[in-house]
């Protein structure tokens, strides 16, 4: 194995360049076997940045070979890369993972004598960001491509008075060549102001002159500079060196653009949050140092709605804790719920009443885990809560009214009918026992009394039927309307035959509903048709259906739903169109009682049944030609919710 010369003569320029560089610089000498093959490398020069980057003391780096420093070098391929640089003399750039300190390096490698001069940049953060955020691959790649440091050594150019007025390039490294997009041989010996005339006006030349004159280093971050046709942002470090300066510069355009984009996103997010009328707050958990338990939450960010509610500025809120402003959070049980969100990762949403600080009223709270903290959203529902309470009271009143209605129904079906039955019974006995003693006027008065009692009994039954439609409902189930009409046809066949009426029923759908109520609906319609038949022609009742939606629906129905339209037509006496709505009102009649019997409740029951099924009913009529009732029932596979 050949020996390695460790004690190279010092080179001030090289030493200064190495110590000024933002990158780690390492000079390695090849170690060859007797056959002249490279078997290892020995570090003979390195800067403090190399030691700091790898975490290996400088003395150790200078005393131990590459294979010892990086046992993984063969598997990772970095050893072969170094060997190729020496063998071919071609500089190279490689991304390498140094397993020992677990860092990622971007290495610019060039042959130096019988060895390699390496310029290392720690890109661990960028590499981890690349792995963590695949969606930002292009941005990270741009950062990696432009993260190397350019180094330029310049000698002062003075005027007759000895003042520094310009600089002349004496040395440039390959990265400087790459970043400036100018060849080194064209720049060496060239004056700075000639190579970049704009440096006189953009202040860059002035910074270099100030460093040369004062001897104080300068640090300029994020300065926009145009190099040829390319305008980018640069971080520049300038240090005095002999009768001139050494300038190191890094193209941070990608980072600057990302920063601007991030700022734009931050501004946009802030605008969105501030436009919300709901308070939105981000809290970080405050943990006990010893136990790690969450003992409080600290304000990290919030929006304008929260500022208004708390009537405090950002300076008065951010950085402070939840329990500082709201110590009652523990007693209210809210603090423990927020801690559970952090620990379990499961969000919560609930309603809470507040009576302190800027929070007065009912709020809907939504807490979601965010890092080691929560994002809390508060929606003021005081108004809707009051409406809900009013609605609940209304529902209680409605239930009370329904209870009263049921009691009335009980009274109507029993207590009120009993006196009527007695009136009819005693009037019959009066006619039977004392009929001979009564005058014609007396018989007429008894007849009127009996007729009124019977009408009253029928009216009570109809009112009872109407009330039961609202208070008594069976569980909704599929109901075949074809079967319903078949049953009704058989039940009313005697009346149909008696009045020479004909019932034509085409195919009818199966709907979700209360079978008994739907039967009552069509029973009332059929009875209504028989009652208002024409005396000069046979009564024909026809039923069919179709599917309708959107503009085909009458007002009040949901245009987004599809309905069955069941048409019920007759050729009876009809009615005038202006009474189409009136006929569905309770106790409304279009004819005198002595002409057509009835209480005016039947069609009102029909309307109530249809409404209970979330549908609608319309009526069309023409005097002397008949009437058509159209019933609309939702075409759905699940029953609609019942109304209270």
């Amino acid at each position: 194995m050949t020996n390695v010369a460790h004690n190279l003569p010092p080179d001030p320029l090289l030493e200064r360049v190495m110590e000024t560089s933002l990158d780690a610089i390492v000079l390695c000498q090849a170690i060859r076997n007797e056959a002249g093959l490279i078997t290892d490398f020995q570090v003979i020069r390195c800067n403090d940045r190399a030691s700091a980057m790898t975490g290996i003391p400088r003395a150790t780096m200078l005393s131990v070979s590459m294979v010892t420093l990086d046992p993984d070098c063969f598997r990772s391929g970095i050893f072969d890369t170094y060997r190729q640089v020496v063998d071919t003399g071609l500089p190279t750039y490689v991304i390498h993972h140094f397993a020992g300190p677990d860092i990622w390096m971007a290495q610019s490698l060039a042959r130096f004598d019988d060895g390699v001069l390496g310029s290392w940049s720690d890109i661990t953060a960028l590499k981890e960001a690349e792995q963590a955020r695949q969606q930002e691959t292009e941005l990270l790649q741009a950062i990696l491509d432009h993260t190397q440091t350019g180094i330029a050594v310049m000698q002062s150019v003075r005027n007759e008075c000895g003042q520094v007025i310009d600089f002349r390039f004496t040395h440039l490294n390959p990265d400087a060549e790459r970043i400036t997009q100018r060849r080194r041989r064209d720049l060496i010996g060239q004056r700075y102001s000639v190579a970049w005339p704009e440096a006189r006006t953009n202040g860059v030349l002035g910074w270099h002159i100030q460093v040369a004159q004062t001897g104080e280093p300068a640090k300029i971050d994020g300065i926009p500079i145009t190099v040829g046709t390319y305008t980018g942002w640069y971080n520049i470090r300038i240090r005095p060196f002999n009768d001139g300066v050494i300038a190191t510069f890094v193209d941070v355009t990608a980072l600057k653009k990302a920063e601007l984009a991030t700022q734009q996103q931050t501004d946009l997010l802030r605008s969105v949050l501030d436009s919300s009328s709901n308070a939105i707050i981000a809290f970080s958990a405050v943990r006990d140092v010893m136990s790690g338990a969450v003992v409080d939450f600290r304000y990290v960010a919030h929006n304008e709605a929260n500022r208004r509610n708390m009537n405090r500025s950002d300076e008065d809120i951010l950085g402070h804790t939840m329990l500082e402003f709201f110590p009652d959070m523990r007693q209210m049980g809210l603090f423990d719920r927020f801690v559970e969100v952090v620990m379990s990762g499961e969000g919560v949403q609930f309603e809470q009443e507040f009576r302190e600080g800027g929070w007065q009223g009912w709020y809907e709270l939504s807490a979601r885990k965010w890092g080691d903290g929560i994002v809390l959203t508060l929606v003021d529902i005081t108004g809707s809560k009051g409406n809900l309470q009013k609605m609940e009271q209304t529902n209680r009143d409605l239930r009370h009214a329904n209870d009263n209605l049921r009691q009335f129904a009980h009274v109507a079906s029993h207590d009120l009918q009993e006196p009527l039955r007695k009136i009819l019974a005693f009037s019959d006995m009066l006619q039977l026992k004392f009929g001979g003693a009564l005058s014609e006027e007396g018989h007429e008065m008894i007849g009127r009394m009996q007729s009124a009692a019977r009408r009253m009994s029928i009216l009570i039954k109809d009112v009872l039927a109407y009330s039961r439609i609202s208070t008594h409902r069976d569980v909704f189930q599929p109901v075949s309307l074809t079967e319903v009409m078949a049953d009704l046809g058989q039940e009313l066949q005697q009346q149909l035959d008696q009045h020479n009426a004909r019932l034509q029923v085409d195919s009818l759908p199966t709907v979700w509903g209360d079978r008994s109520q739907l039967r009552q609906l069509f029973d009332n319609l059929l009875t209504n048709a028989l009652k208002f038949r024409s005396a000069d022609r046979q009564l024909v009742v026809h039923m069919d259906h179709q599917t309708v939606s959107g503009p085909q629906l009458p007002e009040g129905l949901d245009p987004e739903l599809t309905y069955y339209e069941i048409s019920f037509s007759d050729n009876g006496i009809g009615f005038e169109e202006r009474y189409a709505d009136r006929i569905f009102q309770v106790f409304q009649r279009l004819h005198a009682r002595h002409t057509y019997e009835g209480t005016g409740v039947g069609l009102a029951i029909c309307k109530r049944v249809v409404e209970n099924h979330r549908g609608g009913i319309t009526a069309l009529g023409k005097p002397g030609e008949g009437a058509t009732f159209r019933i609309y029932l939702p075409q759905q596979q699940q029953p609609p919710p019942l109304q209270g």
Side-chain angles (χ1 to χ4, degrees):
M1 183 178 295
T2 58
N3 295 325
V4 178
H6 291 280
N7 299 315
L8 296 179
D11 183 342
L13 174 59
L14 178 59
E15 294 295 331
R16 183 58 62 89
V17 168
M18 291 178 65
E19 295 307 323
T20 305
S21 174
L22 296 178
D23 292 339
I25 297 179
V26 178
L27 178 59
C28 299
Q29 181 71 37
I31 300 176
R32 298 178 181 271
N33 61 15
E34 295 177 354
L37 300 177
I38 299 175
T39 60
D40 207 339
F41 287 92
Q42 176 67 53
V43 177
I44 60 174
R45 282 280 203 285
C46 67
N47 61 1
D48 290 338
R49 179 62 179 152
S51 177
M53 183 183 300
T54 61
I56 301 173
R58 191 170 183 177
T60 302
M61 294 185 68
L62 294 173
S63 62
V64 180
S65 70
M66 173 187 283
V67 175
T68 304
L69 288 173
D70 186 5
D72 194 48
C73 64
F74 290 108
R75 188 192 63 79
S76 66
I78 191 65
F79 182 87
D80 289 337
T81 302
Y82 273 61
R83 183 166 55 191
Q84 289 173 8
V85 170
V86 177
D87 290 344
T88 65
L90 297 176
T92 188
Y93 171 79
V94 64
I95 302 294
H96 170 57
H97 180 251
F98 195 173
D102 190 22
I103 62 173
W104 284 90
M105 295 180 178
Q107 299 190 21
S108 291
L109 306 175
R111 187 171 69 184
F112 185 85
D113 195 10
D114 189 31
V116 177
L117 176 63
S119 176
W120 301 348
S121 292
D122 184 351
I123 60 168
T124 303
L126 293 176
K127 196 67 178 179
E128 290 176 349
E130 179 185 32
Q131 295 169 345
R133 298 190 304 168
Q134 289 298 326
Q135 66 273 26
E136 297 187 60
T137 301
E138 294 183 2
L139 174 59
L140 291 175
Q141 189 60 51
I143 295 173
L144 291 173
D145 289 342
H146 299 282
T147 194
Q148 300 304 301
T149 301
I151 303 175
V153 181
M154 294 177 283
Q155 185 178 18
S156 298
V157 176
R158 300 176 181 274
N159 61 13
E160 298 175 352
C161 300
Q163 295 176 323
V164 179
I165 60 172
D166 207 341
F167 296 91
R168 195 178 306 278
F169 290 103
T170 60
H171 296 82
L172 294 108
N173 72 342
D175 288 323
E177 188 177 37
R178 176 180 60 83
I179 293 174
T180 62
Q181 302 178 19
R182 305 281 287 275
R183 294 183 298 180
R184 281 186 290 179
R185 67 172 178 265
D186 295 335
L187 290 175
I188 299 300
Q190 181 75 271
R191 291 178 65 159
Y192 188 48
S193 62
V194 175
W196 285 284
E198 60 271 18
R200 288 190 177 277
T201 57
N202 63 16
V204 176
L205 179 58
W207 296 329
H208 287 72
I209 292 174
Q210 181 179 353
V211 171
Q213 289 179 338
T214 64
E216 295 293 331
K219 175 181 176 181
I220 304 100
D221 288 332
I223 179 69
I225 299 176
T226 299
V227 178
T229 59
Y230 173 74
T231 299
W233 281 267
Y234 296 85
N235 288 347
I236 302 175
R237 304 292 183 268
I238 309 171
R239 296 180 63 87
F241 174 72
N242 292 336
D243 187 25
V245 296
I246 296 177
T248 60
F249 44 94
V250 180
D251 186 346
V252 294
T253 302
L255 290 174
K256 189 66 176 180
K257 289 182 177 179
E259 178 185 341
L260 294 174
T262 300
Q263 184 60 46
Q264 290 176 348
Q265 290 294 325
T266 300
D267 293 342
L268 176 61
L269 178 61
R270 186 182 183 91
S271 297
V272 171
L273 293 178
D274 285 346
S275 66
S276 174
S277 59
N278 303 322
I280 304 173
I281 313 162
F283 291 99
S284 64
V286 179
R287 294 182 178 271
D288 181 78
V289 177
M290 300 299 294
S291 65
V294 178
V295 296
D296 207 337
F297 288 95
R298 193 176 307 281
Y299 283 85
V300 176
H302 64 158
N303 66 346
E304 182 60 28
N306 189 59
R307 294 187 195 94
R308 289 195 303 268
N309 286 340
M310 296 187 67
N311 194 25
R312 296 173 183 267
S313 65
D314 286 351
E315 292 75 13
D316 295 332
I317 296 176
L318 300 183
H320 293 270
T321 67
M322 178 188 293
L323 296 181
E324 286 184 57
F325 296 121
F326 304 101
D328 291 341
M329 284 290 188
R330 289 188 183 276
Q331 288 77 8
M332 297 170 67
L334 298 182
F335 183 81
D336 290 339
R337 301 189 73 167
F338 298 152
V339 171
E340 180 62 23
V341 171
V342 176
M343 302 306 295
S344 68
E346 296 293 331
V348 296
Q349 186 169 342
F350 57 92
E351 295 178 0
Q352 180 66 45
E353 184 179 18
F354 288 96
R355 295 298 178 190
E356 62 175 311
W359 305 97
Q360 297 287 333
W362 279 91
Y363 289 84
E364 182 179 70
L365 279 69
S366 174
R368 296 291 181 268
K369 182 177 174 62
W370 168 71
D372 189 31
I374 61 171
V375 172
L376 181 63
T377 303
L378 298 98
V379 181
D380 188 346
I381 59 170
T382 304
S384 60
K385 191 71 174 180
N387 293 335
L388 178 61
Q389 291 172 341
K390 291 180 181 178
M391 185 181 301
E392 291 174 348
Q393 181 60 45
T394 300
N395 288 336
R396 287 193 292 270
D397 294 342
L398 182 59
R399 287 192 292 270
H400 180 68
N402 285 337
D403 290 340
N404 291 337
L405 189 58
R406 292 187 185 95
Q407 294 177 7
F408 165 76
H410 176 77
V411 171
S413 60
H414 296 86
D415 299 349
L416 293 181
Q417 291 285 6
E418 180 61 24
L420 294 176
R421 285 193 291 269
K422 288 184 177 180
I423 291 174
L424 290 172
F426 281 111
S427 62
D428 288 340
M429 292 175 60
L430 184 63
Q431 282 189 323
L432 180 63
K433 290 186 176 183
F434 306 103
L438 294 175
S439 64
E440 182 178 348
E441 182 180 4
H443 284 289
E444 181 181 355
M445 292 176 66
I446 291 176
R448 288 183 179 182
M449 179 180 63
Q450 291 179 325
S451 176
R454 282 191 289 270
R455 286 199 309 273
M456 185 63 178
S457 178
I458 294 173
L459 180 59
I460 290 173
K461 291 178 181 178
D462 285 348
V463 171
L464 177 61
Y466 183 78
S467 68
R468 287 179 61 85
I469 292 296
S470 299
T471 59
H472 294 77
R473 304 178 196 172
D474 293 335
V475 176
F476 275 46
Q477 60 183 336
V479 178
S480 170
L481 298 185
T482 300
E483 294 179 1
V484 170
M485 290 309 302
D487 291 344
L488 278 176
Q490 292 180 356
E491 182 179 316
L492 299 177
Q493 187 62 52
Q494 183 177 356
Q495 296 184 48
L496 292 172
D497 294 340
Q498 179 183 350
H499 299 297
N500 190 28
R502 182 158 50 94
L503 176 62
Q504 296 178 344
V505 180
D506 294 345
S507 64
L508 297 178
T510 296
V511 299
W512 276 92
D514 182 332
R515 182 182 181 87
S516 63
Q517 288 193 7
L518 292 173
R519 178 187 175 91
Q520 189 170 10
L521 163 67
F522 293 108
D523 187 359
N524 286 3
L525 289 176
L526 191 54
T527 302
N528 191 74
L530 289 170
K531 183 190 303 182
F532 297 106
R533 65 189 182 279
S534 175
D536 56 359
R537 59 180 176 270
Q538 181 189 24
L539 174 65
V540 177
V541 177
H542 179 253
M543 292 183 66
D544 61 6
H545 88 283
Q546 64 176 343
T547 302
V548 295
S549 62
Q552 300 172 288
L553 298 172
E555 184 179 356
L557 297 184
D558 188 347
E560 301 297 324
L561 297 181
T562 301
Y563 292 78
Y564 291 120
E565 179 190 86
I566 297 108
S567 177
F568 187 100
S569 302
D570 66 61
N571 61 344
I573 64 172
F575 61 89
E576 293 187 16
E577 199 71 34
R578 66 177 185 269
Y579 298 128
D581 292 330
R582 177 180 168 185
I583 61 176
F584 293 111
Q585 298 176 14
V586 181
F587 305 132
Q588 292 296 316
R589 299 171 51 88
L590 302 184
H591 305 278
R593 185 178 295 109
H594 65 274
T595 305
Y596 293 98
E597 295 182 354
T599 60
V601 178
L603 291 181
I605 290 176
C606 292
K607 183 178 181 182
R608 179 55 62 89
V609 169
V610 173
E611 289 175 346
N612 286 349
H613 288 72
R614 294 293 189 270
I617 184 170
T618 62
L620 297 174
K622 195 169 184 180
E625 296 185 10
T628 297
F629 294 88
R630 289 190 173 90
I631 299 97
Y632 299 87
L633 299 175
Q635 183 190 46
Q636 56 188 26
Q637 298 305 311
Q638 294 296 329
L642 298 179
Q643 292 179 322

